[in-house]
Amino acid sequence: MKELRDVKDLSMDTGVQQMLVKARNEGIDTAFDRASKMTRCGFGSTGVCCKHCLEGPCRIAPGGKGPQAGICGSNVDTIVARNFLVNITEGAASHAEHAREVAHAILEVAEGKAPYTIQDEEKLKSIAEGLGLVTEGKNINQLAREVAHKALEDFQKQHGTMNWLKLRGQAKSIENWEKLGLLPVNAHLEIAKAMARTVMGGDADPANLLLGAVTMGLVDGFAGLHMSTDLQDVLFGTPRAVKAKYRLGVIREEMVNLSVHGHIPLLAEKVVEWAGKLTDKAKEAGAQGINVVGVCCSGNELLMRKGVPVATNYASQEMPILTGALEAMVVDIQCIMPGIQTVASCYHTEIITTLPYAKIAGATHVEFTTERADEAAREIVMRAINNFKKRDPKKINIPQEVTEAYAGFSVEQIVEALKAVNAVDPLKPLVEAIASGEILGAVALVGCTNPRVKQDSGNVALVKELIKNNVLVVATGCAAHSLGKFGLLSPDGLKYAGDSLRNILTVIGQANGLPTLPPALHMGSCVDNSRVADLLTALANYLGVAIKDLPVAGSCPETHHPKALSIGTFFIANGVDVHVGVDPQVSGSALVVNVLTSDKENFPVTTDGLFGGKLIYEEDPVKAAEIILNRIKIKRQALGLN
């Protein structure tokens, strides 16, 4: 058996290290130790293993010393491209289903069938107008119903282009996608086509398969990211900056602790509501109250709208259970490790699944639908309360570290902050700072943490290097949690920033009654990468250029999920360079590597040439930052900026 790594090599978070020692002492396996024991498959990690029919599995031998084609005749380029398309499709399907759930909820709210209230009527009206709907003379429920139907059309229509792509896509990008024949018709149709073309006997042209991956990236971007964010803002309110707390120390021994984990805020919002309503029940059970904490993107959703504290991010999702003070962990979909149930079986913690297509063997299942949202949420909170007396005091060990952070910087919040500097032309100060070089460019830190690499280290190291060089950073997903845990979502993090970036953030902060803004701006959950795209669209339109011309990039140093690849493909399609720090599993094909990663000057057909953006793979975060900085400088030069 492989030797386990030292806990200090597994995570930067000392609270996580403390829990890992506890787990090992108690004989409990965690994701970090499972990763240590796992031997990587050399064929799978390069993308050359094919399991798309029962003739195989087939795998291409490296160096030309063994089979160079599968039994059906597929060569290595086809196999790698096909596997890449499958990954992108899985990611896009995850986000599209998220959006469809929220669209259906909006419809039920409009029809009086679900116990929610529309919180942002102005955004609803703006979306309706953008979709070409008549808003005059209609009440909110009528508008919500029509917007929901337009959203659901993006899963049904058989001709034309997705409504949300026309609503949110930049005109210059749409023109390029149309010229290349990449515009998606509806999300479910494109997902079905992608699966059909990846079976044996389907699409065998690697270049065509890679173009299919770009279409799936557009499905993710518009029928997943944009639609989810837009409709969640309508239903729950557009985020405004809030102050909150991070790390495992937010779990409180005197309280009933309930963690919300997953992605769709329909459930999370109701759990918080019922936690407030059932405080007296918790006190009857001997607790001082109910403490809801977030994990992963459900944590992001609650953080930026409710100020709910965040316990941890993806790789360490088992750690709240190991504190011995977590009564329940309620989950919905995406990024839920089945291993949480194994860990929970050693404690009093109850794992509660809520969706019929996302269950875990051994967990409690409380079916959640929007119609019975209140009943399900009440039952979940009561289960947590009832578990409080089942604690084993000898097993309680809660790390004490807590950090403060600011979150909830939606595009609307950023524009509002800039209005305090220039009320008439709010984008002008930001554009002038970029033009002058006071802000070199902007980078979005997105994605995950991965148990195979030291948790949070890549995310934190890369951002420190970027802000030192006066790059403005925005962050989403579990990567944003990394920054929150280590002070980079707090004004304290400005000590790592370059002088001119620090000055700009201080001026904007003080204009808004704050000492300064933090060096990285928290923009939300995974689907809220749409906010990043909206900000880029606003800046590009202001300057009269394409998004591809902007001195910007995206980075995902610790990714683990296909969603990160599909999000990255969406941004590459818009002409934005995207860095990943974990093997994207395409290195087995020189053709695929060159198409995705090469400069347009050196290869005839690349994503850089077709769209203006490319994939950058570099595991070392400092080296990755250097590559990103150089690409930003190239784009500045093309714009005529020093």
Side-chain angles (χ1 to χ4, degrees):
M1 181 181 293
K2 293 173 68 176
E3 187 174 339
L4 297 180
R5 293 175 289 171
D6 188 280
V7 296
K8 292 180 180 178
D9 296 327
L10 300 177
S11 176
M12 286 179 64
D13 189 330
T14 53
V16 171
Q17 295 171 14
Q18 181 179 328
M19 291 298 94
L20 287 170
V21 171
K22 183 174 188 284
R24 288 177 179 178
N25 289 339
E26 295 177 4
I28 297 172
D29 243 359
T30 66
F32 294 99
D33 287 347
R34 293 192 295 272
S36 297
K37 297 171 187 174
M38 186 65 64
T39 301
R40 293 190 73 192
C41 171
F43 294 96
S45 64
T46 58
V48 300
C49 180
C50 181
K51 301 186 294 179
H52 292 287
C53 77
L54 301 184
E55 296 172 21
C58 299
R59 58 190 190 184
I60 305 302
K65 296 181 180 179
Q68 296 302 293
I71 293 170
C72 73
S74 292
N75 64 21
V76 69
D77 298 327
T78 295
I79 289 172
V80 173
R82 192 160 52 196
N83 287 337
F84 184 73
L85 174 54
V86 168
N87 272 338
I88 305 302
T89 304
E90 289 175 347
S94 299
H95 282 147
E97 180 56 23
H98 179 151
R100 192 197 63 79
E101 290 268 4
V102 182
H104 193 254
I106 291 275
L107 182 59
E108 291 187 322
V109 170
E111 293 177 345
K113 298 177 181 177
Y116 298 89
T117 302
I118 288 171
Q119 298 293 323
D120 195 335
E121 296 182 2
E122 288 305 311
K123 187 152 190 174
L124 174 64
K125 290 176 183 176
S126 174
I127 292 168
E129 289 168 357
L131 292 168
L133 298 172
V134 176
T135 61
E136 191 175 347
K138 294 176 181 174
N139 63 37
I140 289 301
N141 283 341
Q142 287 175 307
L143 272 186
R145 185 182 301 110
E146 291 185 25
V147 166
H149 281 301
K150 280 288 187 182
L152 293 170
E153 277 181 17
D154 279 350
F155 300 90
Q156 300 164 341
K157 65 193 298 186
Q158 298 300 305
H159 304 285
T161 304
M162 290 192 309
N163 297 324
W164 244 260
L165 187 148
K166 292 184 286 186
L167 171 67
R168 295 301 185 196
Q170 197 210 18
K172 293 179 185 292
S173 294
I174 293 175
E175 183 181 346
N176 191 37
W177 301 331
E178 185 172 22
K179 180 178 68 177
L180 293 169
L182 301 177
L183 294 176
V185 178
N186 88 56
H188 285 170
L189 171 62
E190 303 302 342
I191 291 167
K193 285 195 322 192
M195 296 310 297
R197 71 195 297 178
T198 55
V199 300
M200 193 287 293
D203 194 345
D205 181 340
N208 201 44
L209 287 162
L210 292 175
L211 287 174
V214 174
T215 295
M216 291 312 304
L218 299 181
V219 168
D220 191 323
F222 296 107
L225 311 183
H226 277 287
M227 187 186 295
S228 295
T229 297
D230 281 340
L231 297 183
Q232 286 170 184
D233 283 356
V234 166
L235 193 53
F236 301 121
T238 301
R240 295 288 185 267
V242 296
K243 190 175 183 180
K245 295 180 179 179
Y246 268 97
R247 299 181 77 169
L248 291 167
V250 301
I251 295 171
R252 298 171 59 184
E253 186 170 356
E254 76 279 8
M255 306 282 274
V256 170
N257 292 294
L258 194 164
S259 68
V260 179
H261 177 16
H263 283 78
I264 306 175
L266 294 167
L267 166 66
E269 287 273 339
K270 280 294 178 184
V271 167
V272 172
E273 179 184 331
W274 277 94
K277 291 178 177 179
L278 294 171
T279 299
D280 288 345
K281 294 288 185 183
K283 291 179 178 178
E284 289 174 12
Q288 291 184 14
I290 302 172
N291 182 38
V292 179
V293 300
V295 176
C296 282
C297 278
S298 286
N300 273 313
E301 299 285 358
L302 293 178
L303 169 69
M304 63 184 177
R305 292 193 178 92
K306 304 286 188 184
V308 169
V310 175
T312 196
N313 44 3
Y314 172 78
S316 52
Q317 63 187 262
E318 296 156 316
M319 303 302 117
I321 302 169
L322 284 159
T323 66
L326 187 72
E327 277 59 63
M329 177 178 282
V330 56
V331 304
D332 47 41
I333 192 171
Q334 297 172 33
C335 298
I336 316 296
M337 291 187 189
I340 57 174
Q341 176 57 35
T342 306
V343 176
S345 67
C346 302
Y347 291 86
H348 74 295
T349 307
E350 188 170 11
I351 305 298
I352 303 172
T353 61
T354 55
L355 294 178
Y357 53 88
K359 296 183 178 181
I360 299 173
T364 300
H365 186 74
V366 176
E367 191 86 7
F368 177 87
T369 63
T370 49
E371 297 98 322
R372 63 179 305 272
D374 282 325
E375 294 94 323
R378 187 185 190 283
E379 180 181 348
I380 288 164
V381 175
M382 282 304 304
R383 283 181 173 275
I385 291 169
N386 292 335
N387 288 333
F388 181 75
K389 291 183 178 179
K390 299 177 184 178
R391 287 182 179 182
D392 182 347
K394 289 184 261 185
K395 288 189 174 183
I396 295 177
N397 184 347
I398 304 172
Q400 295 304 301
E401 297 94 341
V402 174
T403 58
E404 290 188 339
Y406 287 93
F409 287 93
S410 60
V411 176
E412 291 86 345
Q413 175 69 92
I414 291 172
V415 171
E416 187 176 310
L418 291 171
K419 279 183 179 178
V421 180
N422 188 327
V424 177
D425 194 356
L427 288 180
K428 187 176 181 180
L430 180 57
V431 169
E432 287 182 341
I434 294 172
S436 69
E438 291 175 282
I439 294 177
L440 186 70
V443 171
L445 185 83
V446 307
C448 324
T449 55
N450 187 323
R452 281 195 179 276
V453 299
K454 186 174 180 178
Q455 184 191 20
D456 302 321
S457 61
N459 294 332
V460 171
L462 183 131
V463 167
K464 284 183 177 179
E465 197 68 21
L466 292 174
I467 63 176
K468 180 177 75 175
N469 285 277
N470 298 306
V471 171
L472 178 66
V473 171
V474 297
T476 62
C478 282
H481 291 332
S482 295
L483 305 187
K485 288 196 284 181
F486 294 96
L488 292 169
L489 299 183
S490 161
D492 292 343
L494 276 184
K495 62 189 175 186
Y496 302 109
D499 290 342
S500 59
L501 177 63
R502 186 186 307 118
N503 291 339
I504 293 290
L505 294 173
T506 300
V507 168
I508 298 172
Q510 290 180 354
N512 286 273
L514 299 170
T516 179
L517 293 183
L521 303 180
H522 176 287
M523 292 194 81
S525 65
C526 287
V527 295
D528 291 328
N529 282 294
S530 60
R531 301 191 199 278
V532 179
D534 283 341
L535 186 58
L536 296 183
T537 298
L539 289 171
N541 288 344
Y542 184 93
L543 292 167
V545 300
I547 290 174
K548 68 181 180 63
D549 299 318
L550 297 174
V552 300
S555 177
C556 191
E558 301 180 42
T559 182
H560 82 274
H561 201 286
K563 293 183 301 177
L565 292 177
S566 61
I567 294 168
T569 304
F570 166 62
F571 279 96
I572 288 172
N574 276 284
V576 177
D577 292 332
V578 174
H579 159 252
V580 295
V582 177
D583 187 355
Q585 300 178 0
V586 296
S587 60
S589 165
L591 182 150
V592 172
V593 169
N594 288 334
V595 169
L596 294 176
T597 70
S598 298
D599 295 317
K600 55 190 171 187
E601 289 84 2
N602 300 320
F603 293 90
V605 180
T606 67
T607 59
D608 194 18
L610 290 174
F611 307 108
K614 67 174 185 174
L615 182 69
I616 299 165
Y617 170 43
E618 174 54 61
E619 293 182 3
D620 185 310
V622 176
K623 290 180 181 178
E626 183 179 351
I627 295 168
I628 291 169
L629 289 167
N630 286 334
R631 287 286 289 185
I632 285 174
K633 290 172 184 176
I634 289 170
K635 297 215 173 186
R636 288 184 64 86
Q637 289 171 354
L639 285 170
L641 304 176
N642 293 327

